[in-house]
Every structure is written in structure tokens, then in C-alpha cells.
Coordinates of all heavy atoms in Angstrom, one line a residue:
M28 N 24.3 12.8 40.0 CA 24.2 12.8 38.7 C 23.4 11.5 38.3 O 23.8 10.4 38.7 CB 25.5 12.7 38.1 CG 25.6 12.9 36.6 SD 27.3 12.9 35.9 CE 27.6 14.6 35.4
P29 N 22.3 11.8 37.6 CA 21.5 10.6 37.3 C 22.2 9.6 36.4 O 23.0 9.8 35.6 CB 20.3 11.3 36.4 CG 20.3 12.7 36.7 CD 21.7 13.0 37.0
T30 N 21.6 8.2 36.6 CA 22.2 7.2 35.8 C 21.1 6.6 35.0 O 20.0 6.3 35.2 CB 22.6 5.9 36.7 OG1 23.5 6.6 37.7 CG2 23.1 4.9 36.0
L31 N 21.5 6.4 33.7 CA 20.5 5.7 32.7 C 21.1 4.4 32.5 O 22.3 4.2 32.1 CB 20.6 6.5 31.3 CG 19.7 7.7 31.1 CD1 19.9 8.4 29.8 CD2 18.3 7.6 31.6
T32 N 20.2 3.4 32.5 CA 20.6 1.9 32.5 C 19.9 1.5 31.1 O 18.6 1.6 31.0 CB 20.2 1.1 33.5 OG1 20.6 1.6 34.8 CG2 20.5 -0.3 33.3
F33 N 20.8 1.0 30.1 CA 20.4 0.6 28.9 C 20.3 -1.0 29.0 O 21.3 -1.6 28.8 CB 21.1 1.1 27.8 CG 20.9 2.6 27.4 CD1 21.7 3.5 28.2 CD2 19.9 2.9 26.6 CE1 21.3 4.9 27.9 CE2 19.6 4.3 26.3 CZ 20.3 5.3 27.0
V34 N 19.1 -1.5 29.2 CA 19.0 -2.9 29.5 C 19.4 -3.8 28.5 O 20.2 -4.7 28.8 CB 17.4 -3.2 29.8 CG1 17.1 -4.7 30.2 CG2 16.9 -2.3 30.9
N35 N 19.1 -3.6 27.2 CA 19.5 -4.4 26.2 C 21.1 -4.5 25.9 O 21.6 -5.6 25.7 CB 18.9 -4.2 24.8 CG 17.3 -4.3 24.8 OD1 16.9 -5.1 25.6 ND2 16.5 -3.7 23.9
E36 N 21.6 -3.3 26.2 CA 23.1 -3.2 25.9 C 23.9 -3.5 27.0 O 25.1 -3.6 27.0 CB 23.3 -1.8 25.5 CG 22.8 -1.3 24.0 CD 21.3 -1.1 24.1 OE1 20.7 -1.1 25.2 OE2 20.6 -1.0 23.1
G37 N 23.3 -3.6 28.3 CA 24.0 -3.8 29.6 C 24.9 -2.7 29.8 O 26.0 -3.0 30.3
Q38 N 24.5 -1.6 29.5 CA 25.4 -0.4 29.7 C 24.7 0.7 30.7 O 23.5 0.9 30.6 CB 25.5 0.2 28.5 CG 26.9 0.8 28.2 CD 27.2 1.3 26.8 OE1 26.7 0.5 25.9 NE2 27.8 2.4 26.5
E39 N 25.4 1.3 31.5 CA 25.0 2.5 32.4 C 25.7 3.6 32.0 O 26.9 3.6 31.8 CB 25.2 2.0 33.8 CG 24.3 1.1 34.4 CD 24.5 1.1 36.0 OE1 25.5 1.6 36.5 OE2 23.6 0.4 36.6
I40 N 25.1 4.8 32.0 CA 25.9 6.0 31.6 C 25.4 7.0 32.7 O 24.2 7.0 33.1 CB 25.6 6.5 30.2 CG1 24.1 6.8 29.9 CG2 26.1 5.5 29.1 CD1 23.8 7.5 28.6
F41 N 26.2 7.9 32.9 CA 25.9 9.1 33.8 C 25.5 10.3 33.0 O 26.2 10.6 32.0 CB 27.1 9.3 34.7 CG 27.5 8.2 35.6 CD1 28.6 7.5 35.3 CD2 26.7 7.9 36.7 CE1 29.0 6.5 36.1 CE2 27.0 6.7 37.4 CZ 28.1 5.9 37.2
V42 N 24.5 10.9 33.4 CA 24.0 12.0 32.6 C 23.7 13.2 33.4 O 23.2 13.2 34.6 CB 22.4 11.6 32.1 CG1 21.9 12.6 31.3 CG2 22.7 10.4 31.2
S43 N 24.1 14.4 32.9 CA 23.7 15.7 33.7 C 22.2 15.8 33.7 O 21.6 15.7 32.6 CB 24.5 16.8 32.9 OG 25.9 16.7 33.0
R44 N 21.8 16.3 34.7 CA 20.4 16.4 34.9 C 19.8 17.5 33.8 O 20.5 18.5 33.6 CB 20.0 17.0 36.3 CG 18.5 16.8 36.8 CD 18.5 17.3 38.3 NE 19.3 16.6 39.1 CZ 18.9 15.3 39.6 NH1 17.7 14.9 39.5 NH2 19.8 14.6 40.4
G45 N 18.7 17.2 33.2 CA 18.1 18.0 32.2 C 18.6 17.7 30.7 O 18.2 18.3 29.8
N46 N 19.5 16.8 30.6 CA 20.2 16.4 29.2 C 19.1 15.6 28.5 O 18.3 14.9 29.0 CB 21.5 15.7 29.4 CG 22.6 16.7 29.7 OD1 22.3 18.0 29.7 ND2 23.8 16.3 29.4
N47 N 19.2 15.7 27.2 CA 18.2 15.0 26.2 C 18.8 13.4 26.1 O 19.9 13.3 25.9 CB 18.4 15.7 25.0 CG 17.6 15.1 23.8 OD1 18.0 14.0 23.1 ND2 16.4 15.6 23.7
L48 N 17.9 12.7 26.2 CA 18.1 11.2 26.2 C 18.8 10.7 24.9 O 19.6 10.0 24.9 CB 16.7 10.5 26.6 CG 16.9 9.1 27.2 CD1 15.8 8.7 28.0 CD2 17.1 8.0 26.1
R49 N 18.1 11.1 23.8 CA 18.7 10.7 22.6 C 20.0 11.2 22.4 O 20.9 10.4 22.0 CB 17.8 11.4 21.3 CG 18.4 11.2 20.0 CD 17.6 11.9 19.0 NE 18.2 11.9 17.7 CZ 19.0 12.7 17.2 NH1 19.5 13.6 17.9 NH2 19.6 12.5 15.9
Q50 N 20.5 12.4 22.7 CA 21.8 12.9 22.5 C 22.8 12.2 23.4 O 23.7 11.8 22.9 CB 21.8 14.4 22.8 CG 23.0 15.0 22.3 CD 23.2 14.8 20.8 OE1 22.4 15.2 20.0 NE2 24.3 14.4 20.5
E51 N 22.3 11.9 24.6 CA 23.2 11.1 25.7 C 23.5 9.7 25.0 O 24.7 9.4 25.1 CB 22.7 11.0 27.0 CG 22.5 12.3 27.7 CD 24.0 12.8 28.0 OE1 24.9 12.0 28.2 OE2 24.1 14.0 28.2
A52 N 22.4 9.0 24.5 CA 22.6 7.6 24.0 C 23.6 7.7 22.8 O 24.5 7.1 22.8 CB 21.2 7.1 23.5
L53 N 23.3 8.7 21.8 CA 24.3 8.7 20.6 C 25.8 9.1 21.0 O 26.6 8.5 20.5 CB 23.7 9.8 19.7 CG 22.4 9.5 19.0 CD1 22.0 10.7 18.1 CD2 22.3 8.2 18.3
D54 N 25.9 10.0 22.1 CA 27.2 10.4 22.5 C 27.8 9.3 23.2 O 29.0 9.2 23.3 CB 27.1 11.5 23.5 CG 26.7 12.9 22.9 OD1 26.7 12.9 21.7 OD2 26.4 13.7 23.7
N55 N 27.1 8.3 23.7 CA 27.8 7.0 24.3 C 27.7 5.9 23.4 O 27.8 4.7 23.9 CB 27.0 6.8 25.7 CG 27.4 7.8 26.6 OD1 28.5 7.7 27.3 ND2 26.6 8.9 26.8
S56 N 27.6 6.1 22.2 CA 27.5 4.9 21.2 C 26.5 3.9 21.4 O 26.7 2.7 21.1 CB 28.9 4.3 21.1 OG 29.9 5.3 20.7
I57 N 25.4 4.4 21.9 CA 24.2 3.4 22.2 C 23.2 3.7 20.9 O 22.7 4.8 20.8 CB 23.5 3.6 23.5 CG1 24.5 3.2 24.6 CG2 22.3 2.8 23.6 CD1 24.2 3.7 26.0
S58 N 23.1 2.6 20.2 CA 22.2 2.7 19.1 C 20.6 2.7 19.5 O 20.2 1.6 20.0 CB 22.5 1.6 18.1 OG 21.6 1.5 17.1
I59 N 19.9 3.7 19.1 CA 18.6 3.7 19.5 C 17.7 3.5 18.3 O 16.5 3.3 18.4 CB 18.2 5.2 20.1 CG1 18.5 6.2 19.2 CG2 18.8 5.2 21.6 CD1 17.8 7.6 19.7
Y60 N 18.3 3.5 17.1 CA 17.6 3.4 15.9 C 17.6 1.9 15.2 O 18.6 1.3 15.1 CB 18.1 4.3 14.9 CG 17.9 5.8 15.2 CD1 19.0 6.6 15.5 CD2 16.7 6.4 15.2 CE1 18.8 8.0 15.7 CE2 16.4 7.7 15.4 CZ 17.5 8.5 15.8 OH 17.3 9.7 16.1
K61 N 16.4 1.6 14.8 CA 16.5 0.4 13.8 C 17.0 0.8 12.6 O 17.2 2.0 12.4 CB 15.0 -0.1 13.7 CG 14.5 -0.8 15.1 CD 13.0 -1.3 14.8 CE 12.5 -1.7 16.2 NZ 11.0 -2.1 16.0
L62 N 17.0 0.0 11.6 CA 17.7 0.2 10.2 C 17.1 1.4 9.7 O 17.7 2.3 9.2 CB 17.5 -1.0 9.3 CG 18.2 -0.8 8.0 CD1 19.7 -0.5 8.1 CD2 18.0 -2.1 7.1
K63 N 15.8 1.5 9.6 CA 15.1 2.7 8.9 C 15.5 3.9 9.6 O 15.8 4.9 8.8 CB 13.5 2.4 8.8 CG 12.6 3.4 8.2 CD 11.2 3.2 8.3 CE 10.5 4.4 8.0 NZ 9.1 4.6 8.7
G64 N 15.5 4.0 10.9 CA 15.6 5.2 11.5 C 17.2 5.6 11.4 O 17.7 6.7 11.4
K65 N 18.1 4.5 11.3 CA 19.4 4.8 11.0 C 19.6 5.5 9.7 O 20.6 6.6 9.6 CB 20.3 3.6 11.0 CG 21.0 3.1 12.3 CD 21.9 2.1 12.2 CE 22.1 1.3 13.5 NZ 22.3 0.0 13.5
L66 N 18.9 5.0 8.7 CA 19.1 5.6 7.4 C 18.5 6.9 7.2 O 19.0 7.8 6.5 CB 18.4 4.6 6.4 CG 19.1 3.3 6.2 CD1 18.4 2.3 5.2 CD2 20.6 3.4 5.8
M67 N 17.4 7.2 7.9 CA 16.7 8.5 7.9 C 16.0 8.7 9.0 O 15.0 8.2 9.3 CB 15.8 8.6 6.6 CG 14.9 7.4 6.3 SD 13.9 7.7 4.9 CE 12.7 6.6 5.0
N68 N 16.5 9.6 9.8 CA 15.8 10.1 11.1 C 15.7 11.6 10.9 O 16.4 12.3 10.2 CB 16.3 9.6 12.3 CG 17.7 10.1 12.5 OD1 18.0 11.2 13.0 ND2 18.7 9.3 12.3
C69 N 14.9 12.2 11.7 CA 14.7 13.6 11.6 C 15.6 14.6 12.5 O 15.7 15.7 12.5 CB 13.3 13.9 12.2 SG 13.1 13.8 13.9
G70 N 16.8 13.8 13.1 CA 17.8 14.5 13.7 C 17.3 15.0 15.1 O 18.0 16.0 15.7
G71 N 16.2 14.5 15.6 CA 15.9 14.9 17.0 C 14.8 16.0 17.0 O 14.6 16.6 18.1
Y72 N 14.1 16.1 15.9 CA 12.9 17.2 16.0 C 11.6 16.7 16.3 O 10.5 17.4 16.0 CB 13.1 18.0 14.7 CG 14.3 18.9 14.6 CD1 15.4 18.4 14.0 CD2 14.3 20.0 15.4 CE1 16.5 19.2 14.0 CE2 15.6 20.8 15.4 CZ 16.7 20.4 14.6 OH 17.8 21.1 14.7
G73 N 11.4 15.5 16.5 CA 10.1 14.9 16.8 C 9.1 14.6 15.7 O 8.0 14.6 15.8
Q74 N 9.8 14.5 14.5 CA 9.0 14.4 13.3 C 8.9 12.8 12.7 O 7.9 12.6 12.2 CB 9.7 15.2 12.3 CG 9.8 16.7 12.5 CD 8.3 17.3 12.9 OE1 7.3 17.0 12.1 NE2 8.1 18.0 14.1
C75 N 9.9 12.2 13.1 CA 9.9 10.8 12.4 C 9.4 9.6 13.1 O 9.0 8.7 12.7 CB 11.4 10.5 11.9 SG 12.6 10.2 13.3
G76 N 9.6 9.8 14.5 CA 9.1 8.7 15.4 C 9.9 7.5 15.4 O 9.6 6.4 16.0
T77 N 11.2 7.5 14.8 CA 12.0 6.3 14.9 C 12.9 6.2 16.1 O 13.5 5.3 16.3 CB 12.9 6.3 13.6 OG1 13.7 7.4 13.7 CG2 12.1 6.3 12.2
C78 N 12.8 7.2 17.0 CA 13.8 7.1 18.2 C 12.9 6.5 19.4 O 13.4 6.9 20.5 CB 14.2 8.4 18.5 SG 13.0 9.8 19.1
V79 N 12.0 5.9 19.1 CA 11.1 5.2 20.2 C 11.9 4.3 21.1 O 12.7 3.6 20.7 CB 9.9 4.6 19.6 CG1 10.1 3.4 18.7 CG2 8.8 4.2 20.7
I80 N 11.6 4.5 22.4 CA 12.2 3.6 23.4 C 11.2 3.2 24.4 O 10.1 3.8 24.5 CB 13.4 4.5 24.2 CG1 12.7 5.7 24.8 CG2 14.6 4.6 23.3 CD1 13.6 6.3 25.9
E81 N 11.5 2.2 25.2 CA 10.5 1.7 26.3 C 11.3 2.1 27.6 O 12.4 1.8 27.9 CB 10.3 0.4 26.2 CG 9.3 -0.1 27.3 CD 8.9 -1.6 27.2 OE1 9.6 -2.3 26.3 OE2 8.3 -2.0 28.2
V82 N 10.5 2.9 28.4 CA 11.0 3.1 29.8 C 10.6 1.9 30.7 O 9.4 1.8 31.0 CB 10.5 4.4 30.3 CG1 10.9 4.8 31.8 CG2 10.9 5.6 29.4
V83 N 11.6 1.1 31.2 CA 11.3 0.0 32.1 C 11.0 0.5 33.4 O 10.2 -0.1 34.2 CB 12.5 -1.0 32.0 CG1 12.2 -2.2 32.8 CG2 12.7 -1.3 30.6
E84 N 11.9 1.4 33.9 CA 11.9 2.0 35.4 C 12.2 3.5 35.2 O 13.0 3.9 34.4 CB 12.8 1.4 36.2 CG 12.3 0.1 36.8 CD 13.4 -0.4 37.8 OE1 13.9 0.2 38.6 OE2 13.7 -1.7 37.6
G85 N 11.5 4.2 36.1 CA 12.0 5.6 36.4 C 11.2 6.6 35.4 O 11.7 7.8 35.3
M86 N 10.0 6.3 34.9 CA 9.3 7.3 34.0 C 9.1 8.6 34.8 O 9.2 9.6 34.2 CB 7.9 6.7 33.8 CG 7.0 7.6 32.8 SD 8.0 7.9 31.2 CE 7.1 6.4 30.3
S87 N 9.0 8.6 36.1 CA 8.7 9.8 36.9 C 10.0 10.7 36.9 O 9.9 11.9 37.4 CB 8.2 9.6 38.3 OG 9.0 8.8 38.9
N88 N 11.0 10.0 36.6 CA 12.4 10.9 36.6 C 12.7 11.4 35.2 O 13.8 11.9 35.0 CB 13.5 9.9 37.0 CG 13.6 9.5 38.5 OD1 13.0 10.3 39.3 ND2 14.0 8.4 38.8
L89 N 11.8 11.4 34.4 CA 11.9 11.9 33.0 C 10.9 13.0 32.7 O 10.0 13.1 33.4 CB 11.8 10.8 31.9 CG 12.7 9.6 32.1 CD1 12.2 8.5 31.1 CD2 14.1 10.0 31.8
S90 N 11.2 13.9 31.8 CA 10.3 15.0 31.5 C 9.0 14.4 31.1 O 8.9 13.4 30.4 CB 10.9 15.9 30.5 OG 11.2 15.2 29.3
P91 N 7.9 15.2 31.3 CA 6.6 14.6 30.8 C 6.5 14.5 29.3 O 7.3 15.1 28.6 CB 5.6 15.8 31.3 CG 6.3 16.6 32.3 CD 7.8 16.4 32.0
R92 N 5.6 13.6 29.0 CA 5.4 13.5 27.5 C 5.0 14.8 26.9 O 4.3 15.6 27.3 CB 4.3 12.4 27.3 CG 4.7 11.0 26.9 CD 3.4 10.4 26.3 NE 3.8 9.0 26.1 CZ 3.2 8.2 25.4 NH1 2.1 8.6 24.6 NH2 3.5 6.9 25.3
T93 N 5.5 15.1 25.7 CA 5.1 16.2 25.0 C 4.0 16.0 24.1 O 3.6 14.9 23.8 CB 6.4 16.7 24.0 OG1 6.6 15.7 23.1 CG2 7.6 16.9 24.9
E94 N 3.4 16.9 23.5 CA 2.2 17.0 22.5 C 2.6 16.1 21.3 O 1.9 15.3 20.9 CB 1.8 18.3 22.1 CG 1.0 19.0 23.2 CD 0.5 20.4 22.6 OE1 0.4 20.6 21.4 OE2 0.2 21.2 23.6
V95 N 3.9 16.3 20.9 CA 4.4 15.6 19.7 C 4.3 14.2 19.9 O 4.0 13.3 19.2 CB 5.9 16.0 19.4 CG1 6.6 15.1 18.4 CG2 5.8 17.5 18.9
E96 N 4.9 13.8 21.2 CA 4.8 12.4 21.6 C 3.4 11.7 21.7 O 3.2 10.7 21.3 CB 5.6 12.2 22.9 CG 7.0 12.4 22.9 CD 7.7 12.0 24.2 OE1 7.6 13.1 25.0 OE2 8.3 11.1 24.6
D97 N 2.5 12.6 22.3 CA 1.2 12.1 22.5 C 0.6 11.8 21.0 O 0.0 10.8 20.8 CB 0.2 13.3 23.0 CG 0.5 13.1 24.4 OD1 1.0 12.3 25.0 OD2 0.1 14.2 25.1
R98 N 1.0 12.6 20.0 CA 0.5 12.3 18.6 C 1.1 11.2 18.0 O 0.5 10.2 17.6 CB 0.7 13.5 17.8 CG -0.4 14.6 17.7 CD -0.2 15.4 16.4 NE 1.2 16.0 16.3 CZ 1.6 17.1 16.8 NH1 0.7 17.8 17.6 NH2 2.7 17.5 16.7
K99 N 2.5 11.0 18.1 CA 3.3 10.0 17.5 C 3.0 8.6 18.2 O 3.3 7.6 17.5 CB 4.7 10.3 17.5 CG 5.1 11.3 16.5 CD 5.3 10.9 15.2 CE 5.7 12.2 14.3 NZ 5.5 11.8 12.8
L100 N 2.8 8.6 19.4 CA 2.8 7.4 20.1 C 1.4 7.0 20.6 O 1.1 6.3 21.7 CB 3.6 7.5 21.5 CG 5.1 7.8 21.2 CD1 5.9 8.0 22.4 CD2 5.8 6.7 20.4
Q101 N 0.3 7.5 20.0 CA -1.0 7.3 20.5 C -1.5 5.9 20.5 O -2.4 5.5 21.4 CB -1.9 8.2 19.8 CG -2.1 8.1 18.2 CD -3.1 9.1 17.7 OE1 -4.2 9.2 18.1 NE2 -2.6 9.9 16.8
R102 N -1.0 5.0 19.6 CA -1.3 3.6 19.6 C -0.2 2.7 20.4 O -0.2 1.6 20.3 CB -1.6 3.1 18.3 CG -2.9 3.6 17.7 CD -3.3 2.9 16.4 NE -4.0 3.9 15.5 CZ -3.5 4.6 14.7 NH1 -2.2 4.7 14.4 NH2 -4.3 5.5 14.0
K103 N 0.7 3.3 21.1 CA 1.9 2.6 21.9 C 1.5 2.6 23.3 O 0.7 3.5 23.8 CB 3.1 3.4 21.5 CG 3.4 3.4 20.0 CD 3.9 2.2 19.5 CE 4.5 2.3 18.2 NZ 4.6 1.2 17.3
P104 N 2.1 1.7 24.0 CA 1.9 1.7 25.6 C 2.5 2.9 26.2 O 3.3 3.7 25.7 CB 2.9 0.6 25.9 CG 3.0 -0.3 24.8 CD 2.9 0.6 23.5
D105 N 1.9 3.2 27.3 CA 2.3 4.5 28.1 C 3.7 4.6 28.4 O 4.3 5.5 28.7 CB 1.6 4.6 29.4 CG 0.1 5.0 29.1 OD1 -0.2 5.4 27.9 OD2 -0.8 4.9 30.0
S106 N 4.4 3.4 28.4 CA 5.9 3.3 28.8 C 6.8 3.7 27.6 O 8.0 3.7 27.9 CB 6.1 1.8 29.3 OG 5.8 0.9 28.2
Y107 N 6.1 3.8 26.5 CA 7.0 4.3 25.3 C 7.2 5.8 25.3 O 6.3 6.6 25.7 CB 6.3 3.8 23.9 CG 6.4 2.4 23.7 CD1 6.7 1.5 24.7 CD2 6.5 1.9 22.4 CE1 6.8 0.1 24.5 CE2 6.6 0.5 22.1 CZ 6.8 -0.4 23.1 OH 6.9 -1.6 22.9
R108 N 8.3 6.2 24.8 CA 8.7 7.6 24.6 C 9.6 7.8 23.3 O 10.0 6.8 22.9 CB 9.6 8.1 25.8 CG 8.9 8.0 27.2 CD 7.9 9.0 27.4 NE 8.2 10.4 27.0 CZ 8.6 11.3 28.0 NH1 8.9 11.0 29.2 NH2 8.9 12.5 27.6
L109 N 9.6 9.0 23.0 CA 10.5 9.3 21.9 C 11.7 9.9 22.5 O 11.6 10.9 23.3 CB 9.9 10.5 20.9 CG 8.7 10.1 20.2 CD1 8.2 11.3 19.2 CD2 9.1 8.8 19.3
A110 N 12.9 9.4 22.3 CA 14.1 9.7 23.0 C 14.4 11.1 22.9 O 14.9 11.8 23.7 CB 15.3 8.8 22.7
C111 N 14.2 11.6 21.6 CA 14.6 13.0 21.3 C 13.7 14.0 22.0 O 14.1 15.2 22.1 CB 14.6 13.3 19.7 SG 12.9 13.4 19.1
Q112 N 12.6 13.7 22.5 CA 11.7 14.6 23.3 C 11.9 14.4 24.8 O 11.1 15.1 25.5 CB 10.3 14.3 22.9 CG 10.1 14.5 21.3 CD 10.2 15.8 20.9 OE1 9.6 16.8 21.4 NE2 11.2 15.9 20.0
T113 N 12.6 13.6 25.2 CA 12.8 13.3 26.6 C 14.0 13.8 27.4 O 15.2 13.6 26.8 CB 12.8 11.7 26.8 OG1 11.7 11.2 26.1 CG2 12.8 11.3 28.2
L114 N 13.8 14.5 28.4 CA 14.8 15.1 29.3 C 15.0 14.2 30.5 O 14.1 13.8 31.1 CB 14.6 16.5 29.5 CG 14.4 17.6 28.5 CD1 14.1 18.8 28.8 CD2 15.4 17.4 27.4
V115 N 16.4 14.0 30.9 CA 16.6 13.1 32.0 C 16.7 14.0 33.2 O 17.4 14.9 33.3 CB 18.0 12.4 31.7 CG1 18.3 11.4 32.9 CG2 18.0 11.6 30.4
Q116 N 15.9 13.6 34.1 CA 15.8 14.4 35.5 C 16.3 13.4 36.7 O 16.5 13.9 37.8 CB 14.6 15.0 35.8 CG 14.3 16.0 34.7 CD 12.8 16.5 34.6 OE1 11.9 15.7 35.0 NE2 12.7 17.5 34.1
G117 N 16.5 12.2 36.5 CA 16.8 11.2 37.5 C 17.1 9.8 36.9 O 17.1 9.6 35.7
N118 N 17.3 8.9 37.7 CA 17.6 7.5 37.2 C 16.5 6.8 36.4 O 15.4 7.1 36.9 CB 17.9 6.6 38.4 CG 19.2 7.0 39.2 OD1 19.9 8.0 38.7 ND2 19.2 6.5 40.5
A119 N 16.9 6.1 35.4 CA 15.8 5.3 34.6 C 16.5 4.3 34.0 O 17.7 4.3 33.6 CB 15.1 6.3 33.6
S120 N 15.7 3.2 33.6 CA 16.1 2.0 32.8 C 15.4 2.1 31.5 O 14.1 2.3 31.5 CB 15.7 0.7 33.5 OG 16.6 0.8 34.7
I121 N 16.0 1.9 30.5 CA 15.6 2.1 29.2 C 15.8 0.8 28.3 O 16.8 0.3 28.3 CB 16.3 3.3 28.4 CG1 16.4 4.5 29.2 CG2 15.9 3.5 26.9 CD1 14.9 5.2 29.5
K122 N 14.8 0.5 27.5 CA 15.0 -0.7 26.4 C 15.0 0.2 25.1 O 13.9 0.8 24.8 CB 13.8 -1.5 26.4 CG 14.1 -2.8 27.3 CD 13.2 -3.9 27.2 CE 13.4 -5.0 28.1 NZ 12.2 -5.9 28.3
T123 N 16.0 -0.1 24.2 CA 16.1 0.5 23.0 C 15.3 -0.4 22.1 O 15.1 -1.6 22.2 CB 17.5 0.7 22.5 OG1 18.2 -0.6 22.6 CG2 18.3 1.7 23.4
K124 N 14.9 0.3 21.0 CA 14.2 -0.5 19.9 C 13.0 -1.5 20.3 O 13.1 -2.8 20.1 CB 15.2 -1.4 19.0 CG 16.3 -0.3 18.5 CD 17.5 -1.2 17.8 CE 18.7 -0.5 18.3 NZ 19.9 -1.4 18.1
P125 N 12.2 -1.0 21.1 CA 11.1 -2.0 21.7 C 10.2 -2.5 20.5 O 10.1 -1.9 19.4 CB 10.2 -1.1 22.6 CG 10.5 0.4 22.0 CD 11.9 0.4 21.4
Ligands
LIG12 S1 14.5 11.6 16.1 FE1 12.8 11.8 14.9 S2 11.3 11.7 16.3 FE2 13.0 11.5 17.6

């Protein structure tokens, strides 16, 4: 079972392979949103861009970037992802709210 390490929070969670990163974080009470995103986010449909995270390690263990991410993150580093568009396939380390 893959492990996600949330660096800022010092928390590790076990995730079933193929599960959605945003949903897993929320289910484990890990806050991925800054204030604006907390108040209004798109609910995981790739529209708001507020669920951005930084992948510190293990990018190859996550699903490939989607077209939505390519659009929303075009001026961001390659290590940035939208949590709601990311499926977990293996171990990874994540920084929330980069
Ligand atoms: S929750 Fe809106 S883009 Fe991810």
C-alpha cells in the first residue's frame, strides 16, 4: 500500500493504489487549501486551481499531469500538481500550499 508523506504536517498516510490525492488528504484532515481555497474551491473538478501541491519526491509514482493541469500550472514548476487531478500509484512526498 503506497505511503504519502506530507512534509509540512509531518504526517504519513497509507493510500490504496489509484486513489485521489486530494480526497485522501481531506479524509485524513490534512489541509491542502489556503484561505481562498478553503472558502471557495471547485470540489475537485480541476477548475479553481486552489488545490496546488508540490511533489518533493515520487513524481513517477503519481498519475501523469492532465491537460487541465498543463493549463492551470503553465507558469509553475514541473514539480507542482493539482491534488484533485492526481492519482496515487506509489510512495510520494508532498508539500501542501507551496
Ligand atoms: S479543487 Fe479545484 S482545481 Fe483542484
Side-chain angles (χ1 to χ4, degrees):
M28 193 175 248
T30 304
L31 284 181
T32 303
F33 288 88
V34 177
N35 293 340
E36 294 76 8
Q38 209 171 326
E39 283 189 351
I40 62 172
F41 300 107
V42 178
S43 294
R44 202 173 296 274
N46 279 11
N47 180 274
L48 200 154
R49 171 185 177 272
Q50 196 56 54
E51 290 293 334
L53 295 181
D54 288 351
N55 286 278
S56 304
I57 294 166
S58 173
I59 57 168
Y60 293 112
K61 294 179 184 171
L62 181 61
K63 182 181 162 206
K65 263 187 203 152
L66 296 176
M67 47 181 192
N68 65 75
C69 69
Y72 291 99
Q74 300 300 308
C75 67
T77 60
C78 65
V79 65
I80 53 160
E81 181 180 359
V82 180
V83 181
E84 271 180 54
M86 183 66 91
S87 61
N88 290 332
L89 304 173
S90 58
R92 257 197 194 199
T93 63
E94 281 179 29
V95 168
E96 290 179 281
D97 284 341
R98 267 200 312 275
K99 291 277 182 201
L100 301 173
Q101 55 184 307
R102 286 189 208 94
K103 304 281 189 199
D105 288 347
S106 57
Y107 281 31
R108 300 290 308 265
L109 294 180
C111 71
Q112 301 296 299
T113 304
L114 304 180
V115 182
Q116 292 162 344
N118 298 345
S120 293
I121 306 297
K122 268 191 186 167
T123 56
K124 302 169 228 169

